[in-house]
Amino acid sequence: MAILINEQKLVDDNVFQYENRLNSSISRFLDKSPTFVTYYHVNYQETTMDGGFRDIEEILGNRSPLKFQKIENFPLYGIDPVVLNITDSEQGLDTDYSGEAVVLPNTIKPLQNDFFMINTIKGSFIFRVVAIQYDNIRPDNFYKLEFRFEYLDEEKVDNLNNQVHERFTCLLENIGTENTCLIQEEYMDIVNKVDSMYHDMVQTYKVIFYNERYNCFLGEIEGGKKIYDPLQTVFFNKHKLLNRKNDLKTIVLTEGFVDPKRELKYEKSIYRLFERRDTKLIRPLYYNTFPAMYKKDSQFYRWHDQSIYVADIPVLPNLEGDINLLPLEIANSFKMNGPTESKYIELMQKFIRREEISLYDIPLDLNEELLLLDANEEVFFFTPILLYIIKTTMTNFLSSK
């Protein structure tokens, strides 16, 4: 397999990533293992008490005015492992045990009388936050909390849960990104379903079209010929459509050969049309093909492969033999917001018209509808666009929650 590498770009990208890592407010914790806890964060908006906690008859129980936000899978750093080894003594549980932990930036602002729980084979250990310190050297820095062991009692677990007003799940991979890391429980189901469908679409697309020899996707056109679209490769790599967070098995596609006009052609492509989302630019989008063997700097030439053709944007479109990626019927439907019978065309139409799209608007059987098209040209060209729409919608959804 031949791979073309821009060495300067590779160095620049890695230096940039290293600099970002050094400047990140969470860089000092990236190589440490967090302790994942169930965190009970005091919800001031729902709590009926004064700010000093002086009128509280009890913190947990039926007479407590405290209400909590329950956060599953919340990471705390710097917890001493001895916390997990608390044992019974002759005097009972060592209730004087205390420790410190670190809360990462852009997660929550911990409060006194927050609780967190660590589940062990001995039971659920419940700790209470007794003091907060803020590292104010940098404006986005961390909180250090001091905590004390309080309970090893299932009744107290029930009390905590009875005082919960809102429930969240923490997405560790979103910490340090523009996306919120705390997702309300009611939204997690749709997030997981759409994410699962997205990656099912990616895997299906790879099974059908991925060619390991050339490290690219090859569609099929008339006469059993294979088609390669270098602009599609740019689109895939640009938006990291094949990448799954925390998955080391990812693909960076090979662009195949050098084309000095590739950036200009990309501006005229169907992929750029959906990036710009401008209905004034909707028009028939033609492409033609030429044998990949013509490009002597390509891996196709090196393998002497005569079955592969390259999709190319012509200088003068709509000549004999050109193929239209956006037929008049679909183009008019996009422009006029006309009715459609296809779920994926409807989604593309909403997106390009800048209509508000929620995760709930994404059909969860989109992958099945695409399979019914039997790996035709629409599946080859439209699936990357649908992946881009889903990924963009997911990012927007998580940013707003």
Side-chain angles (χ1 to χ4, degrees), residues 21-47:
R21 181 182 174 91
L22 288 178
N23 291 330
S24 170
S25 55
I26 65 173
S27 60
R28 75 199 74 180
F29 307 110
L30 293 178
D31 298 324
K32 301 177 182 178
S33 297
T35 299
F36 291 98
V37 305
T38 301
Y39 197 94
Y40 295 85
H41 184 39
V42 173
N43 187 343
Y44 262 126
Q45 295 180 343
E46 299 297 329
T47 294

Side-chain angles (χ1 to χ4, degrees), residues 106-288:
N106 302 318
T107 54
I108 63 170
K109 180 180 179 181
L111 299 171
Q112 187 179 11
N113 284 335
D114 282 357
F115 286 83
F116 64 89
M117 183 169 63
I118 300 176
N119 293 317
T120 72
I121 58 175
K122 296 180 181 180
S124 299
F125 292 97
I126 301 175
F127 304 86
R128 182 166 65 92
V129 176
V130 295
I132 308 293
Q133 299 178 32
Y134 179 59
D135 182 353
N136 57 5
I137 296 177
R138 294 171 57 173
D140 60 348
N141 238 332
F142 60 87
Y143 291 93
K144 180 180 288 186
L145 54 84
E146 298 177 19
F147 62 85
R148 185 173 65 202
F149 175 70
E150 290 285 336
Y151 310 110
L152 179 58
D153 186 344
E154 289 302 318
E155 182 181 349
K156 296 300 183 182
V157 175
D158 292 337
N159 288 340
L160 267 173
N161 288 323
N162 288 336
Q163 291 172 228
V164 169
H165 180 260
E166 293 179 304
R167 290 174 168 81
F168 296 83
T169 296
C170 182
L171 300 182
L172 182 65
E173 61 268 25
N174 284 0
I175 297 178
T177 71
E178 295 179 356
N179 294 340
T180 181
C181 62
L182 300 181
I183 309 298
Q184 285 186 308
E185 188 178 73
E186 62 186 285
Y187 298 125
M188 278 307 301
D189 184 54
I190 188 64
V191 168
N192 289 333
K193 286 180 178 178
V194 172
D195 183 70
S196 176
M197 185 192 68
Y198 178 95
H199 290 288
D200 181 70
M201 290 173 64
V202 169
Q203 290 302 115
T204 302
Y205 194 84
K206 286 162 61 177
V207 167
I208 297 174
F209 298 114
Y210 181 67
N211 185 286
E212 187 174 359
R213 171 186 289 180
Y214 300 120
N215 187 33
C216 69
F217 293 114
L218 299 177
E220 189 169 321
I221 54 178
E222 293 181 0
K225 296 184 293 186
K226 298 292 184 180
I227 185 171
Y228 168 64
D229 184 1
L231 303 181
Q232 182 192 84
T233 294
V234 173
F235 185 68
F236 264 115
N237 290 340
K238 179 180 180 180
H239 298 291
K240 299 179 176 62
L241 299 179
L242 302 175
N243 294 18
R244 188 167 195 172
K245 292 178 180 178
N246 301 325
D247 188 356
L248 298 179
K249 295 181 180 179
T250 189
I251 296 176
V252 178
L253 300 173
T254 305
E255 291 191 18
F257 58 88
V258 175
D259 184 351
K261 295 184 178 180
R262 183 159 293 157
E263 290 186 11
L264 176 61
K265 292 176 180 178
Y266 187 82
E267 289 297 318
K268 300 178 180 179
S269 71
I270 189 171
Y271 311 110
R272 186 62 178 136
L273 173 65
F274 278 88
E275 288 177 346
R276 297 177 71 174
R277 302 175 70 179
D278 188 345
T279 54
K280 295 192 297 294
L281 301 177
I282 296 174
R283 66 191 185 282
L285 296 171
Y286 293 95
Y287 76 92
N288 57 24

